[in-house]
């Protein structure tokens, strides 16, 4: 009977190719750190991945060991012949083509507003892939070259396998919950289970303990329970997290998916996977830490699933308070008379696809001698960099886009703070109301501007965190109630007259 050949040592040329891939991945991450170099970074990443995939296909080309008729040979030993397994190779190519077609089709059709949930969905696929690879290695260890002569899986490989499956399962179930929250198919409000911290700690202790026990006993029930508990803890860690903190969750899950891939790289004896997974895992963890620091959150509480725990106090009922409504003509007049305008975009701009008309408005104002700047909050939108991507898509000059810490001090000298589709990131409750689910999150000091223009669909809606905003009712605030794109189009018409 044909037998699958075990893993051989990786040749030197392949290790060099994997090293080149790793360097390209590092250059890709560096490029993605700035909108101006992001396209080049993406190209580096694609080239690096292409090299890694082709190298892996060549090194691990499927082979069949076919028995030889030893009676015809005048010498010993009689070795089986190694023949290319073209059927398996064609199956691999078909799988690559199928997955690539799905990715291409999805990328062509996906709306920019749906990018956060798409990222969460892709993270879930990476996690599930790690789980399936781990189980395949457990069920057929000789094919992965991790079994001894007696068929028992090596202890080191069991550790790698257990960690890969556990992290992958956590990534999968956590990403599914993040996807449902981001897609609006599940409430964005935190869901607080009684005794959740005790349950989480107990579940994590069980996973760690059983993973350690797996090194001594490779029974099916051990790895099955580790898998089940890991799926469970991923669910438990994400449901208590509120919508305002979801960008950090996406970044954190990105880190988890990288570590899962790295662990599976050890199981598969694949250097490229180890390098890539470590880069994704470490960069995602660093980004999560930076975002937590920017939001005055605890990094440990994110990992422990305690993020957003105060959200139970988020008020649903809104007090009826006086507010002022303005028109596109009013807004155009005040904008054209200003010396400096700071534009704060949010998820509502993304929903309305208003970034292009917003850039046209900025161009008109600059032609009238107005200084125009764009202020980006670290968690504006629903994933890191969401607003930067949209503004870059609309060809907004990079030197006009500023992060929170670089521009927040300018609002006191600003004539108009123009808020389009943002809410939580300009809510002063984050600074004053300890019962608010966004308390402690740094926000823009828009209340210091001479005039505030606030575009939203209606006064009935609240932000993703589900809390009302005092800015709506301030004396210097003009509410522009309409679809964001339609309102900016009307302002552009008024400015051109």
């Amino acid at each position: 009977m044909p037998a699958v050949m075990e893993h051989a040592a990786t040749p030197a040329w392949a290790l060099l190719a994997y090293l080149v891939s790793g360097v390209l991945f590092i250059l890709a991450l560096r490029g993605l750190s700035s909108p101006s170099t992001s396209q080049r970074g993406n190209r580096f990443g694609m080239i690096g991945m292409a090299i890694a995939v082709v190298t892996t296909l060549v090194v691990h080309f499927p082979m069949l060991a076919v028995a030889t008729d030893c009676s015809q040979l005048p010498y010993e030993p009689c070795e089986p012949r190694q023949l290319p397994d073209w059927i398996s190779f064609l199956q691999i190519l078909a799988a690559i083509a199928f997955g690539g077609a799905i990715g291409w089709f999805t990328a062509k059709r996906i709306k920019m507003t749906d990018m956060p949930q798409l990222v969460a969905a892709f993270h879930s696929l990476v996690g599930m892939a790690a789980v399936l690879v781990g189980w395949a290695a457990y069920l057929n260890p000789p094919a992965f070259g991790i079994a001894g002569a007696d068929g028992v899986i090596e202890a080191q490989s069991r550790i790698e396998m257990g960690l890969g499956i556990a992290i992958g399962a956590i990534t999968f179930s956590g990403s599914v919950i993040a996807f449902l929250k981001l897609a609006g198919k599940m409430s964005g409000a935190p869901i607080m289970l009684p005794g959740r911290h005790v349950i989480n700690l107990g579940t994590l202790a069980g996973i760690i303990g059983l993973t350690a026990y797996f090194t001594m006993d490779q029974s099916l029930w051990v790895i099955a329970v580790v898998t089940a508990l890991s799926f469970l803890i991923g669910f438990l860690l994400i449901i208590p997290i509120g919508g305002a903190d979801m960008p950090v969750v996406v970044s954190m899950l990105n880190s988890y998916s990288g570590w899962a891939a790295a662990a599976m790289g050890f199981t598969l004896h694949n250097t490229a996977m180890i390098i890539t997974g470590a880069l994704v895992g470490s960069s995602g963890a660093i980004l999560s830490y930076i975002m937590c620091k920017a939001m005055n959150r605890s990094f440990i509480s994110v990992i422990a699933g305690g993020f957003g725990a105060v959200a139970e106090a988020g008020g649903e009922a809104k007090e009826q308070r006086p507010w002022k409504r303005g028109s596109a003509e009013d807004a155009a007049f005040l904008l054209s008379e200003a010396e400096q305008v700071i534009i704060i975009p949010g998820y509502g701009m993304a929903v309305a696809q208003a970034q292009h008309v917003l850039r046209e408005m900025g161009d008109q104002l600059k032609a009238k001698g107005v200084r125009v700047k764009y202020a980006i909050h670290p968690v504006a939108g629903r994933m890191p960099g969401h607003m930067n991507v949209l503004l870059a898509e609309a060809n907004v000059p990079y030197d006009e886009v500023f992060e929170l810490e670089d521009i927040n001090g300018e609002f006191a000298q600003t004539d108009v703070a123009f808020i389009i589709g943002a809410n939580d990131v300009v809510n002063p409750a984050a600074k004053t109301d300890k019962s608010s689910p966004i308390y402690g999150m740094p926000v823009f000091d828009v209340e210091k501007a001479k005039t505030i223009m606030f575009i939203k669909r209606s006064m009935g809606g609240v932000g993703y965190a589900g809390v009302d905003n005092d800015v709506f009712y301030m004396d210097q605030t003009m509410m522009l109630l309409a679809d964001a794109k339609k309102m900016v189009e009307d302002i552009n018409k008024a400015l051109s007259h």
Side-chain angles (χ1 to χ4, degrees), residues 222-273:
V222 181
I223 196 64
V225 174
V226 167
T227 305
L229 289 177
S230 300
F231 280 128
L232 176 63
I233 195 62
F235 170 80
L236 294 174
L237 288 174
I238 304 304
I239 58 169
I241 300 178
D245 300 325
M246 199 51 62
V248 184
V249 175
V250 173
S251 175
M252 180 181 67
L253 290 170
N254 177 59
S255 177
Y256 288 176
S257 68
W259 297 124
M264 285 301 104
F266 284 102
T267 300
L268 293 173
H269 306 291
N270 190 293
T271 307
M273 280 188 69

Side-chain angles (χ1 to χ4, degrees), residues 413-470:
Q413 294 80 42
T414 296
D415 297 293
V416 178
F418 189 87
I419 305 166
I420 173 169
N423 194 336
D424 298 328
V425 299
V426 298
N427 194 335
K431 297 180 283 188
T432 59
D433 185 2
K434 292 185 178 181
S435 67
S436 172
I438 61 172
Y439 179 73
M441 183 179 79
V443 294
F444 290 115
D445 297 330
V446 295
E447 68 276 7
K448 296 180 181 179
K450 295 176 183 177
T451 300
I452 303 170
M453 297 182 187
F454 211 122
I455 297 181
K456 66 193 304 284
R457 286 185 175 273
S458 70
M459 292 299 294
V462 292
Y464 196 52
V467 292
D468 201 7
N469 193 335
D470 286 342

Side-chain angles (χ1 to χ4, degrees), residues 242-319:
D245 300 325
M246 199 51 62
V248 184
V249 175
V250 173
S251 175
M252 180 181 67
L253 290 170
N254 177 59
S255 177
Y256 288 176
S257 68
W259 297 124
M264 285 301 104
F266 284 102
T267 300
L268 293 173
H269 306 291
N270 190 293
T271 307
M273 280 188 69
I274 297 171
I275 295 173
T276 307
L279 286 172
V280 173
S282 57
S283 61
I286 292 170
L287 177 59
S288 298
Y289 175 78
I290 292 173
M291 294 180 69
C292 287
K293 188 175 181 181
M295 296 171 62
N296 194 31
R297 305 295 200 193
S298 166
F299 183 65
I300 300 300
S301 70
V302 182
I303 300 174
F307 223 25
V310 295
E312 294 165 306
E316 297 268 340
K318 295 202 308 175
E319 178 185 354

Side-chain angles (χ1 to χ4, degrees), residues 331-457:
F333 174 77
L334 291 173
L335 287 167
S336 61
E337 294 296 313
E339 292 186 7
Q340 176 164 292
V341 173
I342 297 180
I343 300 171
I344 303 101
Y347 186 68
M349 183 196 74
V351 172
Q353 290 290 283
Q355 62 268 28
H356 295 281
V357 293
L358 185 67
R359 191 260 305 158
E360 292 172 11
M361 186 189 81
D363 290 345
Q364 288 203 62
L365 291 176
K366 286 186 289 184
K368 295 178 181 292
V370 181
R371 290 193 307 275
V372 177
K373 297 183 179 182
Y374 297 81
I376 305 297
H377 194 277
V379 295
R382 296 186 181 175
M383 74 174 185
H386 197 181
M387 294 301 105
N388 300 78
V389 171
L390 291 174
L391 295 180
E393 180 192 9
N395 295 318
V396 171
Y398 301 127
D399 59 359
E400 295 178 6
V401 180
F402 297 86
E403 301 295 332
L404 181 144
E405 63 272 12
D406 298 323
I407 202 171
N408 218 16
E410 295 192 29
F411 282 100
Q413 294 80 42
T414 296
D415 297 293
V416 178
F418 189 87
I419 305 166
I420 173 169
N423 194 336
D424 298 328
V425 299
V426 298
N427 194 335
K431 297 180 283 188
T432 59
D433 185 2
K434 292 185 178 181
S435 67
S436 172
I438 61 172
Y439 179 73
M441 183 179 79
V443 294
F444 290 115
D445 297 330
V446 295
E447 68 276 7
K448 296 180 181 179
K450 295 176 183 177
T451 300
I452 303 170
M453 297 182 187
F454 211 122
I455 297 181
K456 66 193 304 284
R457 286 185 175 273

Side-chain angles (χ1 to χ4, degrees), residues 109-260:
R109 292 181 58 88
I110 194 70
K111 298 178 181 178
M112 287 304 299
T113 51
D114 296 334
M115 283 299 292
Q117 49 263 45
L118 177 67
V119 172
F122 281 170
H123 289 163
S124 73
L125 295 179
V126 175
M128 181 54 74
V131 174
L132 294 177
V133 169
W135 270 91
Y138 174 79
L139 296 174
N140 190 10
F144 290 79
I146 59 175
D150 55 358
V152 177
I153 302 174
E154 299 168 359
Q156 176 183 329
S157 297
R158 289 189 228 173
I159 295 174
E160 300 160 358
M161 187 187 305
L163 289 175
I165 290 174
I167 300 173
I170 292 171
T171 304
F172 173 79
S173 55
S175 298
V176 168
I177 298 301
F179 169 82
L180 294 174
K181 283 177 174 274
L182 290 167
K185 300 180 183 300
M186 181 178 180
S187 173
I191 300 173
M192 303 299 175
L193 297 177
R196 62 187 181 280
H197 295 304
V198 175
I199 296 172
N200 289 352
L201 288 174
T203 306
L204 286 171
I207 293 171
I208 295 171
L210 285 172
T211 302
Y213 180 70
F214 185 57
T215 62
M216 299 178 287
D217 181 358
Q218 67 176 56
S219 299
L220 177 63
W221 73 267
V222 181
I223 196 64
V225 174
V226 167
T227 305
L229 289 177
S230 300
F231 280 128
L232 176 63
I233 195 62
F235 170 80
L236 294 174
L237 288 174
I238 304 304
I239 58 169
I241 300 178
D245 300 325
M246 199 51 62
V248 184
V249 175
V250 173
S251 175
M252 180 181 67
L253 290 170
N254 177 59
S255 177
Y256 288 176
S257 68
W259 297 124

Side-chain angles (χ1 to χ4, degrees), residues 27-53:
L27 293 174
L29 288 173
R30 181 175 177 82
L32 293 173
S33 65
S34 171
S36 60
T37 58
S38 59
Q39 290 186 344
R40 186 173 65 210
N42 268 318
R43 284 193 289 269
F44 280 137
M46 289 187 289
I47 294 171
M49 185 55 67
I51 293 173
V53 170

